[in-house]
Amino acid sequence: MTDYGHTLEFGVFITPTADDPAAVVELARLSERLGYDLVTFQDHPYMADRLETWTLLSWVAAATERVRLSANVFNLALRPPATLARAVASLDLLSGGRFELGLGAGAFPQGVAAMGGEVRTGGASLRALGEAIEIIRALWTTGRRGIRFEGEAYQLVGAQPGPIPAHDIPIWIGGYKPKMLELIGAKGDGWIPTLKYITPEDLAAGNRAIDAAADVAGRDPREIRRLLNISGVFQAEAGGLLQGPPEQWARDLRPFVTDLGFSTLILMSDDAAEIERFATEVMPALRDAVADRPVMTVKRAAIRAQRREGIDYEGTPAGIRAIEPGDIDYPRVKSTYLRGGAPGIVLQPANVEQVIESLAYARRHPDLPMSVRSGGHGVSGRSTNDGGIVIDLGALNAIEVLDEATRRVRIGPGARWMEVAVALGQRGWALSSGDYGGVGVGGLATAGGIGWMARQHGLTIDHLRAADIVLADGSLVHASEAENADLFWAIRGAGANFGIVTAFEFEVDEVGEVGFSQLVFDASDLAGLLERWGAVVENSPRDLTSFLIVSRQRGGQFIAVALSMIASSYAETILARLQPMAQIAPLLDQSVYLTSYASVMANAALDDHAGVGEPLSRTGLLDHITPEFAQAAERLVQSGASYFFQIRAVGGAVADVDPDATAYANRAANFSVVAFGASPSRVEEHWPALHDHFEGLYLSFESTRSIERLYDAFPPRTLERLRDLKGKYDPENVFRDNFNIAPRR
Amino acid sequence: MTRQAAITMDYGHDLLFGTFITPTARPVSQAVELTRFAEDVGLDLATFQDHPYNPGLLDTWTLLSYAAAKTTRIRLAGNVLNLPLRNPALLARQAATLDLLSGGRIEMGLGTGSFWDAIVAMGGPRRTPGESIEALEEAILLMKELWDTETRGGVRSDGPFYPVSGAKRGPAPAHPIQFWIGAYKPRILKMVGRSADGVVPSLSYLKSGPGELAEINKWIDEGAEAAGRDPHAVRRLLNIAGQFSRTSGGFLVGPARQWSEQLADLAHRYGVSAFLLGSDDPETIEFFAKEVAPMTRELVAARR
Ligand SMILES: Cc1cc2nc3c(=O)[nH]c(=O)nc-3n(C[C@H](O)[C@H](O)[C@H](O)COP(=O)(O)OP(=O)(O)OC[C@H]3O[C@@H](n4cnc5c(N)ncnc54)[C@H](O)[C@@H]3O)c2cc1C
């Protein structure tokens, strides 16, 4: 009695005859409608009356939506592994992760030779298959440089890996001989024999051979799914194996599942009525009959080998997507925009209940770092870690309108600001957030939000009316001025310390077309330029918000780029605001557009993050750009210690808000200064000269993590209150990874 | 408008307008969406480059198959498929299969391959320019044989590049699939004249500009005539790129009228009868389909 614990699945095996291609496609679609899990086709490229299997699979993938697809099985001799790997990955990507790889050593040497394929027999063909599996897996892995492979059958000299498939594609292998079974045990993810060609006794023996080989290879035999191609006859009177009424089929098949461990049963048939009968009468009966068998998935040994210490991988909450270091998606989720990471596990909850479960799971690992990630753009990089747990809220990205009249919207933390801008823009609305469309809602809206219309409309958090928060104890609370008002105060500036915000409710602004301009200046006199720019900004009406970026050109020349938004759709107003700005230094280039807020925010590609190393960013809030500050900034930039130096305008509406109204308290500042650097010691050399001028700090732009930064960020009264509230809402300091405020107990 | 005494060539094909879309793997559905879009805005053809060694791209054959299933009218081709990394006997069956599935919408864009280090890296062969042309012609003839189900008996060939020993003929495609070859130099152009149905160079690769098309035509025509073929049998396609702008800024940079005149001129002078626009920008594709294509058709019809 063997059962490898895989979910029970059903497939069809359709002959790809060329005389009626549409009928073949229709059988596949019918199978999908009938609830089959898998549609498979044989692959005999030397047969001229067949459709070519790869092309057919690609077509059928486009013509179906849910069902998974595979060859049963590909003839390796006519499909070299390197190009096959790319093709399979391509189809898996195009089909949304619905392709599985069935592979065979390539029978019918005559047919292969007739087609100009390389004929390999016996041991050579098996070795070729083993090599092919290695090559295919290597090409599906990132992070490596060109692949070199010196095989007997295949040689690669520096082939670049990729594309990475959409899911971890299993490689299922067809074959019967002992050496083949050994190979399956050592390297395969599945065995597909055909019942016609093998007795139940030999199936059992085959399983034993595979299991033994798996053992030898240090694998768990349960990593290998057993699939079986079956065929029979539906008839009224009971006959031999699979010859009889549907009830008999179900009875006949049951022991194959429960005693022999074949959990995927693939019906070989081209008869629509038979395919339907099997689906409607055999499948449900068999499902019922085996309903109580325990099911579990065992990851490949190669994946398990990459697990980190102290994480309960087997105990991840059911139903929540969990990605571990060996998983195919891991490279896509391990890092953030600015920081390379190596977390032990990334959980991707899809709803609030799953957030609560993810948090409970994380709390069962009290000694490991826990990161909360929304858009992954955190400058401190704390939304990833090394060896710990990441709760990735990317899937909680809904944007909905709650009330048209008051322009009240509800936004999930995983949404990105460029998506928010598009959704709001469709209604003639906007919410000033930040300058980059890729930034996530969760990190920004719990910290501040210094955006393109900050002077006109205030910080993002100034528009927050309510939020849903999962607290450390797993409770879900609503916070607003009326409910949990103290918590509502805290999450507007220090949210990361208090819980996981799962939804934000904002009241947004009516915003029509806006002016957006880019002025490029010669920054040879940097200090003078900074001072003059600061004065222009402070003297401008609130409808102008300007961000200045200083950088060094290739020739060593310094340039400054002023990006300004003028919240007005009148050309005269826009030009009038830009006039004084254009005078601050010699202009090298200029452009001005009448555009939409959403178009300005459409400046990011929402790609996977690939940050490496540690970010280095220093920041401070400044009341005025004084000559002394401007000179200190000039020295920093000219030293080359900061490769990216930016000043954002705040003030205006931001300063209208009472400093005690939110945890973001440094309301008086007119500017927020940010410097990115490469070498901490070089930045440190110049930074104190700037630091002297600051009146506070906006945490979202800071990467150094000393306790001093908390004193910079929060005035004493604010910090005191935050400590008290931390003691109330997170006494055990669960949320401690990003600028931790120690709880007062 | 005044025109120089025109040297004209016209090979009598109907005008085709198409796209040359990047088969990018990211975002994964971009190429398919652009193909559907090209069909929606009325273009005749969607084509994709093929660099099977480039991991940033989707496998072109897979993409062609998938995109064909997602469209109903537009014709599709590689631009051009990389022969050294594809087995021509298998490719013949693949093309026939897709032609059958799609109701005759597939053409065979094919090339010798050129990035040999990358091809070898993938386990493919390294060929000299001469060998690569011979291999290409051998592949064309082999594929034609395999599609020819009228003739009896298996296909045999000693190669040297693609030996086959009695490969069965079929399936036959739904329509006579055209071989369109990426080519620039005399030797391969003569081969095109002899054995293929079209040439598809990229304008941006023509070092001395569009004038080089006359050279290209000359070699093809010579090759065709030497083989006793009518040069009209070979369609002249052209990959182009440009920018739509209100004011003129050079060749294919300007308003629709300028584009149309310049394309009509290419049709008129060099017999170009298919323009494939290299662009992944929906606005440019729409502009090309809705403004440039009809106007060019009119201008060419008026002159024919
Ligand atoms: C290119 C770039 C441009 C930027 N421009 C601006 C700008 O113009 N104005 C501005 O104000 N900021 C700007 N920022 C800073 C940005 O606001 C912060 O980095 C912000 O934290 C990013 O949010 P996220 O969700 O993408 O980040 P993540 O990395 O996902 O999260 C950052 C941190 O926020 C906390 N967090 C995340 N989600 C939640 C949640 N749901 N509940 C509670 N805590 C949470 C966690 O502690 C996490 O470590 C910019 C950043 C970058 C990289």
Side-chain angles (χ1 to χ4, degrees):
Chain A
M1 293 270 283
T2 332
D3 185 337
Y4 301 95
H6 298 273
T7 51
L8 181 64
E9 297 192 337
F10 296 98
V12 288
F13 178 100
I14 301 170
T15 313
T17 50
D19 32 295
D20 192 354
V24 175
V25 176
E26 192 37 48
L27 274 185
R29 297 173 59 142
L30 172 74
S31 306
E32 171 168 85
R33 287 197 297 277
L34 288 169
Y36 283 91
D37 304 290
L38 197 61
V39 167
T40 72
F41 302 102
Q42 56 188 265
D43 182 35
H44 298 296
Y46 31 80
M47 290 176 73
D49 55 351
R50 299 287 158 86
L51 296 169
E52 192 277 323
T53 303
W54 183 257
T55 307
L56 176 64
L57 282 164
S58 306
W59 181 282
V60 168
T64 52
E65 277 158 21
R66 180 196 55 78
V67 80
R68 282 145 51 219
L69 302 156
S70 176
N72 192 343
V73 291
F74 275 129
N75 186 312
L76 182 65
L78 285 167
R79 303 184 183 276
T83 40
L84 182 62
R86 297 224 207 274
V88 169
S90 298
L91 189 51
D92 196 52
L93 286 166
L94 284 168
S95 67
R98 294 191 286 126
F99 195 79
E100 323 286 25
L101 180 55
L103 212 51
F108 301 98
Q110 271 187 336
V112 170
M115 290 284 284
E118 188 117 1
V119 175
R120 295 187 187 92
T121 49
S125 76
L126 273 171
R127 288 192 296 276
L129 180 56
E131 290 179 16
I133 294 171
E134 277 178 45
I135 288 174
I136 290 168
R137 288 230 172 273
L139 280 165
W140 287 345
T141 320
T142 46
R144 301 205 204 168
R145 290 274 121 229
I147 295 164
R148 295 194 156 264
F149 190 89
E150 273 295 319
E152 174 189 324
Y154 306 108
Q155 295 81 36
L156 301 189
V157 276
Q160 296 294 320
I164 302 187
H167 83 298
D168 187 9
I169 300 178
I171 301 180
W172 297 332
I173 299 167
Y176 304 91
K177 303 224 174 85
K179 286 279 171 204
M180 182 63 110
L181 300 174
E182 232 173 71
L183 177 70
I184 295 170
K187 293 185 175 167
D189 307 308
W191 178 35
I192 326 188
T194 297
L195 188 52
K196 240 187 332 206
Y197 305 131
I198 187 168
T199 63
E201 293 69 42
D202 286 343
L203 283 175
N207 275 336
R208 283 194 298 273
I210 290 171
D211 297 354
D215 262 347
V216 170
R219 303 178 71 201
D220 184 328
R222 290 173 302 173
E223 293 172 34
I224 303 155
R225 186 182 265 276
R226 321 296 154 121
L227 309 90
L228 188 62
N229 294 319
I230 57 168
S231 50
V233 184
F234 284 114
Q235 59 189 34
E237 65 283 6
L241 184 66
L242 300 182
Q243 290 171 347
E247 312 83 70
Q248 185 203 320
W249 276 58
R251 270 197 311 278
D252 285 352
L253 288 173
R254 186 192 160 140
F256 285 96
V257 180
T258 54
D259 300 353
L260 290 169
F262 285 83
S263 50
T264 303
L265 300 172
I266 302 173
L267 179 69
M268 307 173 81
S269 174
D270 299 315
D271 174 3
E274 194 171 271
I275 289 173
E276 179 159 1
R277 189 136 195 217
F278 185 83
T280 52
E281 299 182 44
V282 181
M283 273 157 51
L286 186 56
R287 278 216 168 90
D288 276 355
V290 304
D292 52 359
R293 57 187 276 275
V295 167
M296 65 170 313
T297 33
V298 174
K299 296 219 176 185
R300 273 204 307 280
I303 296 177
R304 282 184 279 124
Q306 298 178 53
R307 290 179 165 176
R308 301 291 295 264
E309 218 160 288
I311 294 184
D312 175 16
Y313 287 99
E314 306 300 338
T316 57
I320 299 181
R321 223 168 106 79
I323 302 166
E324 56 177 273
D327 285 340
I328 196 152
D329 280 331
Y330 184 74
R332 293 173 172 150
V333 300
K334 65 178 185 173
S335 297
T336 63
Y337 185 69
L338 290 170
R339 181 168 179 240
I345 193 164
V346 176
L347 297 175
Q348 297 188 317
N351 53 47
V352 177
E353 291 67 43
Q354 293 193 343
V355 172
I356 294 170
E357 286 177 61
S358 300
L359 178 60
Y361 174 84
R363 290 205 61 180
R364 287 201 277 116
H365 303 78
D367 298 331
L368 294 183
M370 176 188 75
S371 300
V372 176
R373 181 186 303 169
S374 288
H377 274 74
V379 169
S380 67
R382 298 303 121 185
S383 54
T384 190
N385 57 49
D386 185 4
I389 295 161
V390 173
I391 300 178
D392 176 354
L393 306 167
L396 276 73
N397 60 354
I399 303 171
E400 28 171 349
V401 174
L402 295 179
D403 184 44
E404 289 272 351
T406 58
R407 296 185 301 277
R408 192 154 170 148
V409 297
R410 188 179 161 90
I411 304 178
R416 308 297 188 88
W417 287 109
M418 63 193 283
E419 299 168 336
V420 174
V422 168
L424 299 184
Q426 283 159 358
R427 295 189 144 73
W429 305 343
L431 172 55
S432 181
S433 50
D435 60 2
Y436 194 62
V439 167
V441 168
L444 183 139
T446 47
I450 297 177
W452 288 125
M453 295 183 293
R455 295 182 74 241
Q456 176 87 355
H457 293 299
L459 299 175
T460 309
I461 54 168
D462 298 339
H463 293 262
L464 191 66
R465 296 295 172 264
D468 289 345
I469 305 150
V470 173
L471 297 176
D473 64 4
S475 60
L476 174 69
V477 298
H478 192 70
S480 67
E481 290 294 0
E483 223 177 313
N484 300 306
D486 54 358
L487 181 62
F488 185 54
W489 172 85
I491 60 161
R492 286 175 292 163
N497 266 284
F498 288 88
I500 302 176
V501 178
T502 55
F504 297 86
E505 289 181 27
F506 296 104
E507 200 173 300
V508 303
D509 295 299
E510 217 160 290
V511 174
E513 282 190 307
V514 296
F516 190 71
S517 120
Q518 174 171 339
L519 303 180
V520 183
F521 300 104
D522 175 343
S524 308
D525 170 21
L526 181 57
L529 180 151
L530 292 177
E531 229 184 293
R532 290 188 288 276
W533 174 81
V536 168
V537 169
E538 282 195 50
N539 291 325
S540 291
R542 289 181 171 194
D543 55 9
L544 173 126
T545 299
S546 187
F547 292 0
L548 190 79
I549 301 162
V550 183
S551 59
R552 190 204 289 260
Q553 293 299 88
R554 246 179 246 131
Q557 187 199 13
F558 285 94
I559 60 158
V561 181
L563 296 168
S564 311
M565 183 171 285
I566 299 100
S568 165
S569 43
Y570 294 104
E572 305 84 78
T573 312
I574 295 167
L575 293 175
R577 298 292 179 269
L578 292 172
Q579 218 77 103
M581 178 94 67
Q583 318 291 319
I584 62 171
L587 256 187
L588 301 177
D589 195 8
Q590 54 169 322
S591 66
V592 53
Y593 304 95
L594 191 58
T595 179
S596 66
Y597 179 76
S599 304
V600 175
M601 290 301 284
N603 55 9
L606 298 184
D607 252 344
D608 300 328
H609 295 315
V612 288
E614 290 286 333
L616 171 57
S617 172
R618 301 302 315 266
T619 188
L621 289 164
L622 189 67
D623 285 352
H624 308 287
I625 301 183
T626 58
E628 297 72 29
F629 173 81
Q631 275 149 24
E634 182 178 87
R635 283 194 298 274
L636 169 75
V637 172
Q638 285 184 346
S639 75
S642 171
Y643 59 84
F644 181 92
F645 181 83
Q646 185 177 40
I647 309 184
R648 290 170 165 84
V650 266
V654 177
D656 292 349
V657 176
D658 177 354
D660 288 332
T662 63
Y664 181 105
N666 296 304
R667 296 283 178 171
N670 281 307
F671 302 98
S672 167
V673 178
V674 188
F676 277 84
S679 148
S681 59
R682 288 187 66 199
V683 173
E684 240 21 75
E685 209 175 296
H686 294 276
W687 195 249
L690 281 80
H691 190 260
D692 287 347
H693 301 275
F694 292 140
E695 295 288 339
L697 164 160
Y698 173 37
L699 275 182
S700 272
F701 291 133
E702 183 64 42
S703 73
T704 66
R705 297 168 68 229
S706 100
I707 184 91
E708 303 292 320
R709 296 294 86 76
L710 284 182
Y711 302 135
D712 288 341
F714 303 109
R717 204 169 41 182
T718 308
L719 191 55
E720 285 304 291
R721 190 170 176 207
L722 285 169
R723 288 230 153 96
D724 287 340
L725 291 173
K726 180 79 174 175
K728 175 175 173 188
Y729 287 105
D730 184 16
E732 289 169 50
N733 205 11
V734 172
F735 301 103
R736 61 173 178 270
D737 218 37
N738 201 12
F739 300 109
N740 188 212
I741 298 164
R744 198 192 316 282
R745 286 173 222 234
Chain B
M1 196 165 99
T2 53
R3 198 120 302 290
Q4 295 168 355
I7 331 141
T8 72
M9 289 190 195
D10 186 342
Y11 297 90
H13 297 271
D14 54 332
L15 275 189
L16 298 178
F17 293 86
T19 54
F20 182 31
I21 298 169
T22 312
T24 179
R26 286 165 146 226
V28 62
S29 46
Q30 177 177 302
V32 176
E33 273 161 26
L34 284 176
T35 307
R36 295 173 68 148
F37 183 75
E39 171 165 286
D40 286 346
V41 295
L43 290 175
D44 307 300
L45 261 171
T47 69
F48 308 95
Q49 56 185 292
D50 182 30
H51 298 290
Y53 33 78
N54 181 339
L57 303 179
L58 294 171
D59 169 60
T60 299
W61 189 259
T62 307
L63 173 63
L64 279 167
S65 308
Y66 196 90
K70 291 285 190 195
T71 50
T72 56
R73 188 191 51 74
I74 202 164
R75 288 156 68 192
L76 302 115
N79 189 346
V80 290
L81 296 182
N82 183 295
L83 177 63
L85 285 171
R86 301 189 180 274
N87 168 345
L90 185 62
L91 186 57
R93 305 235 204 271
Q94 294 187 308
T97 294
L98 192 53
D99 203 49
L100 288 167
L101 284 165
S102 67
R105 294 191 283 127
I106 304 306
E107 310 297 349
M108 181 50 62
L110 202 55
T112 53
S114 53
F115 299 101
W116 295 105
D117 285 345
I119 290 166
V120 171
M122 287 284 285
R126 186 184 296 278
R127 290 176 183 153
T128 65
E131 287 167 351
S132 74
I133 297 168
E134 283 164 31
L136 181 55
E137 186 164 26
E138 195 182 310
I140 293 173
L141 300 177
L142 170 61
M143 291 170 75
K144 283 187 182 169
E145 281 285 327
L146 285 166
W147 289 336
D148 171 14
T149 50
E150 309 284 293
T151 307
R152 307 198 48 181
V155 180
R156 284 179 194 284
S157 159
D158 293 336
F161 297 97
Y162 302 111
V164 293
S165 55
K168 298 207 166 64
R169 296 168 185 277
H175 87 298
I177 295 180
Q178 307 273 299
F179 282 94
W180 294 338
I181 308 300
Y184 300 90
K185 300 227 175 93
R187 190 157 163 209
I188 184 168
L189 291 166
K190 281 196 270 181
M191 187 282 282
V192 170
R194 190 160 63 230
S195 300
D197 310 296
V199 67
V200 48
S202 290
L203 192 51
S204 60
Y205 288 3
L206 302 182
K207 287 180 203 88
S208 45
E212 224 174 281
L213 291 171
E215 278 290 289
I216 288 181
N217 284 335
K218 191 187 99 191
W219 293 113
I220 294 175
D221 296 355
E222 212 179 287
E225 275 153 16
R229 279 179 97 202
D230 181 350
H232 287 83
V234 184
R235 185 188 271 281
R236 321 294 153 122
L237 304 93
L238 187 64
N239 294 320
I240 57 171
Q243 238 179 318
F244 169 51
S245 67
R246 258 164 243 168
T247 50
S248 171
F251 197 74
L252 298 185
V253 178
R257 161 116 327 239
Q258 180 200 323
W259 274 64
S260 308
E261 279 166 3
Q262 289 171 337
L263 295 185
D265 207 43
L266 292 178
H268 192 59
R269 281 168 180 266
Y270 308 113
V272 177
S273 61
F275 296 101
L276 305 174
L277 178 72
S279 173
D280 296 324
D281 171 38
E283 267 176 58
T284 310
I285 293 172
E286 183 165 8
F287 159 76
F288 182 64
K290 294 209 167 140
E291 301 191 38
V292 176
M295 221 186 276
T296 310
R297 282 205 166 94
E298 264 175 47
L299 290 173
V300 170
R303 275 194 229 159
R304 266 186 175 175

